[in-house]
Amino acid sequence: MTSASTALANLPEWNLADLYPAPDSPAFTADVKEARTRCAAFASAWSGKLASASPKDLAKAIGEYDSLSDLVGRIGSYAQLHYVGDTTDAARAKFYGDVSNTLTELSSQLLFFELELNKIDDTALANALREPALAHYKPWLDNLRMEKPYQLDDKLEQLFLEKSQTAAGAFNRLFDETMADLRFEVDGKQLTLEPTLNLMQSPDEARRRTGAEALAKTFKSNLRLFTLITNTLSKDKDISDRWRGFKDIADARHLSNRVEPEVVAALVDAVRAAYPKLSHRYYRMKAKWLGKETLMHWDRNAPLPQEDTRDIPWDEARETVLSAYGEFAPEMASIAKGFFDKRWIDAPARPGKSPGAFAHPTVPSAHPYVLLNYLGKPRDVMTLAHELGHGVHQVLAAPQGALMASTPLTLAETASVFGEMLTFQRILKNTTDPKKRKALLASKVEDMINTVVRQIAFYTFERKVHSARKEGELTPDQLNAIWLEVQRESLGDAITFGEGYEVFWTYIPHFIHSPFYVYAYAFGDCLVNSLYARYKESAAGFQDKYFAMLKAGGTKHHSELLKPFGLDATDPAFWQKGLSVISGMIDELEKTE
């Protein structure tokens, strides 16, 4: 069996020099200076003049804005990536704070541009779009037009932007630095969050329980602070929504996702109705497999007796994912290989490093970076596959430019979850032992439950919290009660929630950084289930259509992107197809009992 120390040896750390050599490098200083000069010149050249500009001049202005967005985005990306490497380091925190302040100043100078564009008469803009150079930016202009009903006057927009540093931005940073600084006592050792969470996947129940109790103890001791952060951010969002005229608490998220509220409602209703045949049914089976009447909350992600619990070396994880990608499309594997070869991945779990995992697109003139906290578990391999899916997507969409490369979150999760599916199917195909295949299938079902059921439960929790916050400040007990109510509904009576689980809402970063983001995971999983079924039905031409979808970036609505595959997310039956894949896997597991 591979030891943990061997599996975690020689993990790669990213090389941010492709952005800048160092925070105090001449290159970074020069770019900040250039950004200041160019932003001031841009405002001087175009402010108050867009309504009378010719179509060619409008195209020129947007081209300059695109270029500026790339430059300013590069500066911000470097500051963020440098900071997340160790959020407890005072010098990094100061650098990040100072750069954030500079970026707010630059953004204030550019704020007029999108507001003025939206003041151009609809007919005049439609006529101007006959100019080919301007028509290139039509998808971006169409998206911008959707924001128009919720925009405020120029001065208010500037106030909102500048105050964000001391409002939501400040509380986001407080959360990040608090989480990075937390320590959890396990067997006399002080662990950070990721290694402690990792104990919940131990084959040893005593270790799982120890990890869960350590998490609960530290979360409880910081409960007042997390409650304050949650109350403040919820109220801050409520104020913003009220001023902008959003009717529902999640409308701003749906708008930024370019997805209709009724589509999300259909997804949420379908998943909640499926709880009994998905999570409830599966966890009852798992309790039997582990010889229990019910599972304690620390048993939920416990490995099965037949499951591979060895620590998986980094090189093996790399080969597994690249081989899976390569079987689907050599180009996909080639792009992903660059992340390893060029040190675009930061893999080790380090004290002070941001927990979790993400793929940061940075800007089209550079390339994405991937952050992991790799601890050698099978789920870490799937996380690698997930984040590299994002990375491949971001590389392929980059030619669209800074304004149009970004994909709405619902479809941004498609490539990541598809990467997971490809990796799982490859591992399953190469596993012949029936008991190990059962364990693999069960592990995949658990991942899907975590991606679909858990994320819709998180979305439900957020809706209840933000709704209740409108009536007044929430106490820790109220937040804990909402959390337990939602968890019982989603996970079923086969899970017993022991003392301490009521505070496990405190560490979910999505609640803080991007309210109502989480349904995008469920959207992506159900979509990928349908996409993968199409791929198995007919592989011919599928890769070309798939790559065209990724390369589109943010230039097309989800309905346009899915049409070539014969899929329609506005059809309520669409979600049933995706959920039936998960249900079908559970059916297969039931036959093995």
Side-chain angles (χ1 to χ4, degrees):
M1 180 176 287
T2 307
S3 70
S5 58
T6 304
L8 303 182
N10 302 315
L11 292 177
E13 297 188 6
W14 55 29
N15 173 24
L16 298 180
D18 290 351
L19 295 171
Y20 298 102
D24 58 355
S25 66
F28 183 82
T29 303
D31 271 5
V32 172
K33 183 179 179 181
E34 181 186 345
R36 289 186 188 278
T37 302
R38 286 180 59 189
C39 286
F42 183 82
S44 176
W46 296 109
S47 182
K49 301 169 186 174
L50 296 181
S52 59
S54 70
K56 284 187 178 179
D57 281 345
L58 276 179
K60 179 185 176 184
I62 295 174
E64 290 177 14
Y65 186 66
D66 195 13
S67 174
L68 266 177
S69 298
D70 193 288
L71 175 61
V72 173
R74 177 183 284 261
I75 293 166
S77 296
Y78 178 73
Q80 183 182 357
L81 295 176
H82 180 68
Y83 169 66
V84 298
D86 184 359
T87 61
T88 61
D89 179 71
R92 293 189 190 219
K94 173 177 167 48
F95 175 69
Y96 179 66
D98 289 347
V99 172
S100 296
N101 182 61
T102 298
L103 294 178
T104 301
E105 292 173 7
L106 296 176
S107 297
S108 292
Q109 288 184 297
L110 300 177
L111 185 63
F112 78 91
F113 189 66
E114 295 185 11
L115 297 173
E116 275 195 39
L117 282 174
N118 267 348
K119 291 175 184 174
I120 296 175
D121 177 73
D122 288 347
T123 304
L125 184 60
N127 290 332
L129 282 167
R130 294 171 185 164
E131 165 61 43
L134 186 61
H136 170 73
Y137 295 105
K138 186 177 187 300
W140 179 73
L141 288 166
D142 287 345
N143 279 333
L144 186 62
R145 222 67 175 166
M146 294 173 70
E147 307 275 352
K148 185 175 179 178
Y150 309 103
Q151 287 177 336
L152 306 173
D153 65 54
D154 296 14
K155 286 292 185 184
L156 276 174
E157 288 289 356
Q158 187 165 359
L159 178 63
F160 266 62
L161 176 64
E162 293 185 12
K163 286 288 288 181
S164 66
Q165 293 180 89
T166 54
F171 279 86
N172 272 256
R173 183 173 162 187
L174 175 61
F175 174 84
D176 288 343
E177 294 186 9
T178 300
M179 290 305 305
D181 211 32
L182 293 183
R183 293 298 179 266
F184 306 85
E185 187 173 346
V186 177
D187 299 334
K189 295 180 181 177
Q190 297 292 317
L191 302 183
T192 55
L193 178 63
E194 288 292 341
T196 313
L197 287 170
N198 191 49
L199 293 174
M200 307 269 274
Q201 299 178 48
S202 170
D204 181 352
E205 182 176 359
R207 296 288 288 166
R208 296 196 299 272
R209 179 172 185 170
T210 298
E213 290 176 345
L215 289 165
K217 182 179 179 182
T218 298
F219 292 155
K220 280 184 177 181
S221 65
N222 290 273
L223 186 55
R224 286 184 62 196
L225 176 59
F226 289 127
T227 300
L228 173 63
I229 291 172
T230 299
N231 271 302
T232 302
L233 288 174
S234 181
K235 184 63 177 177
D236 183 78
K237 184 181 184 306
D238 180 48
I239 292 169
S240 177
D241 285 353
R242 183 158 38 81
W243 274 84
R244 294 191 180 281
F246 289 111
K247 302 302 182 195
D248 183 77
I249 50 178
D251 277 353
R253 173 61 61 195
H254 303 330
L255 177 65
S256 68
N257 278 352
R258 302 298 182 249
V259 64
E260 300 76 13
E262 56 271 21
V263 171
V264 178
L267 164 65
V268 172
D269 290 347
V271 173
R272 291 182 72 178
Y275 286 166
K277 68 178 181 181
L278 299 180
S279 46
H280 298 189
R281 182 164 59 126
Y282 174 76
Y283 289 127
R284 279 196 292 270
M285 271 198 300
K286 183 168 185 175
K288 288 181 188 174
W289 296 338
L290 296 182
K292 294 170 170 283
E293 285 291 322
T294 62
L295 299 169
M296 292 301 297
H297 68 264
W298 53 74
D299 296 324
R300 194 175 61 80
N301 288 322
L304 298 183
Q306 306 90 347
E307 195 168 326
D308 183 2
T309 57
R310 68 192 172 89
D311 291 301
I312 299 167
W314 176 254
D315 287 346
E316 183 181 333
R318 173 185 184 276
E319 177 58 29
T320 298
V321 175
L322 289 181
S323 296
Y325 278 24
E327 280 186 7
F328 173 70
E331 183 186 353
M332 192 171 176
S334 176
I335 294 170
K337 186 173 182 293
F339 282 75
F340 297 95
D341 296 347
K342 299 172 185 176
R343 291 177 56 201
W344 297 353
I345 302 175
D346 195 79
R350 297 185 301 269
K353 179 178 174 179
S354 282
F358 63 73
H360 194 306
T362 72
V363 288
S365 64
H367 57 75
Y369 282 95
V370 165
L371 178 140
L372 305 169
N373 279 272
Y374 187 84
L375 295 166
K377 300 303 179 191
R379 278 195 173 88
D380 292 331
V381 179
M382 288 300 166
T383 300
L384 175 62
H386 180 101
E387 299 305 339
L388 282 176
H390 279 308
V392 168
H393 192 176
Q394 290 159 355
V395 168
L396 290 171
Q400 296 288 354
L403 298 181
M404 296 191 290
S406 180
T407 307
L409 294 181
T410 39
L411 287 164
E413 292 300 335
T414 303
S416 52
V417 179
F418 196 79
E420 285 187 70
M421 180 64 87
L422 293 173
T423 304
F424 165 71
Q425 292 293 345
R426 175 176 169 79
I427 296 172
L428 188 66
K429 185 176 76 173
N430 293 336
T431 304
T432 54
D433 182 297
K435 289 184 177 178
K436 288 185 176 179
R437 282 181 64 86
K438 174 184 175 181
L440 266 175
L441 194 62
S443 178
K444 180 59 178 173
V445 167
E446 290 192 15
D447 285 345
M448 292 170 119
I449 287 173
N450 284 333
T451 305
V452 178
V453 170
R454 289 276 286 166
Q455 302 305 324
I456 292 303
F458 285 173
Y459 177 73
T460 305
F461 171 76
E462 287 187 281
R463 288 199 65 90
K464 288 178 180 288
V465 167
H466 283 261
S467 296
R469 180 66 179 89
K470 287 176 177 289
E471 305 304 317
E473 190 154 310
L474 300 174
T475 66
D477 286 345
Q478 285 176 293
L479 288 163
N480 294 349
I482 295 171
W483 175 254
L484 285 178
E485 175 194 352
V486 167
Q487 296 306 302
R488 289 191 179 105
E489 179 202 15
S490 62
L491 300 180
D493 58 10
I495 305 275
T496 297
F497 301 105
E499 171 67 25
Y501 186 72
E502 71 277 2
V503 297
F504 272 46
W505 59 269
T506 55
Y507 80 94
I508 310 296
H510 300 82
F511 298 160
I512 305 301
H513 298 310
S514 41
F516 306 109
Y517 173 104
V518 288
Y519 72 75
Y521 291 115
F523 194 111
D525 196 280
C526 289
L527 172 54
V528 164
N529 289 341
S530 297
L531 271 178
Y532 193 79
R534 285 282 191 268
Y535 170 53
K536 298 311 288 183
E537 288 167 10
S538 176
F542 183 90
Q543 289 92 334
D544 290 340
K545 288 188 284 188
Y546 182 73
F547 273 81
M549 178 175 72
L550 301 190
K551 288 176 181 177
T555 63
K556 294 182 179 179
H557 186 260
H558 64 76
S559 58
E560 291 180 83
L561 292 171
L562 297 179
K563 193 173 182 180
F565 303 97
L567 300 174
D568 179 8
T570 64
D571 178 2
F574 173 80
W575 303 115
Q576 298 300 336
K577 293 173 189 172
L579 295 172
S580 68
V581 172
I582 309 174
S583 185
M585 288 185 175
I586 299 173
D587 291 344
E588 192 174 334
L589 286 169
E590 280 185 328
K591 293 173 186 173
T592 66
E593 286 198 88

